Amino acid sequence: DVKVTQSSRYLVKRTGEKVFLECVQDMDHENMFWYRQDPGLGLRLIYFSYDVKMKEKGDIPEGYSVSREKKERFSLILESASTNQTSMYLCASSSRPFGGTEAFFGQGTRLTVV
Amino acid sequence: AQSVTQLGSHVSVSEGALVLLRCNYSSSVPPYLFWYVQYPNQGLQLLLKYTSAATLVKGINGFEAEFKKSETSFHLTKPSAHMSDAAEYFCAVSFSSNTGKLIFGQGTTLQVKP
């Protein structure tokens, strides 16, 4: 069974903390993605990676960074957490070729910044 | 710009009634189209996808969608709603040139009344 695993389902962090969200996939996928989900806004792409050590900004990268040192792992980093980063974060992966391939999603991490 | 619009943030139907969830896209190049479902506190699961083969696509759980290029639409239907269909549904689009990243609509919450 294919799997994308996010390290935490729920997190509570304080304003100004550095926060790490971890995602691991076991499907040997080249592409990995971090999305943010907010009510009424759907899913918005933060960053994606199409290869190890490669990364590209999505639509809302401000306040975030990512790391992909190994093919199976993609980390999202909040450099200094703020209350407006309280949200649901979803990791996904997909294989090449691009375009019509299905993305597989993790269970999500609900982050609350207080 | 490429975008996806889902008409209606909330749809309510009675059990046994037709389900119709609307999705329109904006694109200057041929799209790949997807419908995902999200049950409470879960990640996203693929319902079906259109990748330029048949315009009528059948998915899991009795859902289907029809790609209509002239209307730039990809509406999701199910002839008879079940209580278990209550969830949030997302329409998404990707393109061969964009490394597989998905652009999502705002989501539609389906309520099924007994």
Side-chain angles (χ1 to χ4, degrees):
Chain A
D1 196 17
V2 297
K3 196 173 255 189
V4 178
T5 303
Q6 295 182 228
S7 54
S8 303
R9 292 294 302 273
Y10 300 94
L11 275 178
V12 180
K13 297 292 182 181
R14 294 192 181 279
T15 301
E17 275 193 77
K18 190 169 187 176
V19 181
F20 293 85
L21 303 183
E22 307 286 347
C23 175
V24 176
Q25 51 97 0
D26 65 0
M27 295 165 282
D28 200 35
H29 283 168
E30 292 82 6
N31 306 324
M32 295 189 76
F33 310 87
W34 275 105
Y35 287 88
R36 172 176 169 161
Q37 181 181 7
D38 298 290
L41 298 177
L43 279 72
R44 294 177 291 167
L45 183 64
I46 306 172
Y47 267 97
F48 65 100
S49 168
Y50 51 89
D51 204 347
V52 176
K53 298 191 185 292
M54 304 299 290
K55 60 185 179 183
E56 287 199 20
K57 293 180 180 179
D59 300 316
I60 52 165
E62 296 79 17
Y64 303 95
S65 63
V66 290
S67 172
R68 193 168 182 199
E69 296 296 320
K70 294 185 177 181
K71 189 176 185 180
E72 68 270 19
R73 186 179 296 271
F74 192 35
S75 303
L76 179 69
I77 303 155
L78 286 67
E79 299 291 344
S80 177
S82 64
T83 54
N84 62 13
Q85 293 178 309
T86 291
S87 187
M88 170 72 92
Y89 291 86
L90 290 163
C91 175
S93 70
S94 69
S95 64
R96 290 177 189 156
F98 305 133
T101 54
E102 172 187 356
F104 293 85
F105 283 81
Q107 297 285 77
T109 296
R110 187 167 295 280
L111 173 67
T112 302
V113 182
V114 298
Chain B
Q2 297 148 345
S3 65
V4 176
T5 302
Q6 291 182 239
L7 299 175
S9 59
H10 288 84
V11 170
S12 181
V13 301
S14 298
E15 193 173 19
L18 171 72
V19 175
L20 171 61
L21 304 182
R22 299 177 186 273
C23 173
N24 288 87
Y25 68 91
S26 173
S27 168
S28 57
V29 298
Y32 300 101
L33 293 155
F34 304 79
W35 276 100
Y36 282 84
V37 61
Q38 185 181 35
Y39 299 104
N41 298 314
Q42 301 280 326
L44 274 67
Q45 176 184 1
L46 182 71
L47 273 178
L48 49 80
K49 67 178 181 180
Y50 166 76
T51 57
S52 76
T55 56
L56 182 62
V57 181
K58 295 187 184 297
I60 62 171
N61 301 338
F63 284 93
E64 64 181 37
E66 185 172 9
F67 172 66
K68 291 187 177 180
K69 184 178 179 181
S70 61
E71 298 177 8
T72 61
S73 69
F74 191 57
H75 302 331
L76 182 71
T77 60
K78 182 174 180 178
S80 177
H82 291 219
M83 296 297 292
S84 60
D85 294 327
E88 190 161 20
Y89 292 80
F90 292 95
C91 182
V93 63
S94 70
F95 307 94
S96 59
S97 61
N98 75 344
T99 66
K101 66 179 182 179
L102 291 165
I103 301 169
F104 284 87
Q106 302 91 326
T108 298
T109 300
L110 176 66
Q111 179 187 22
V112 182
K113 297 178 292 185

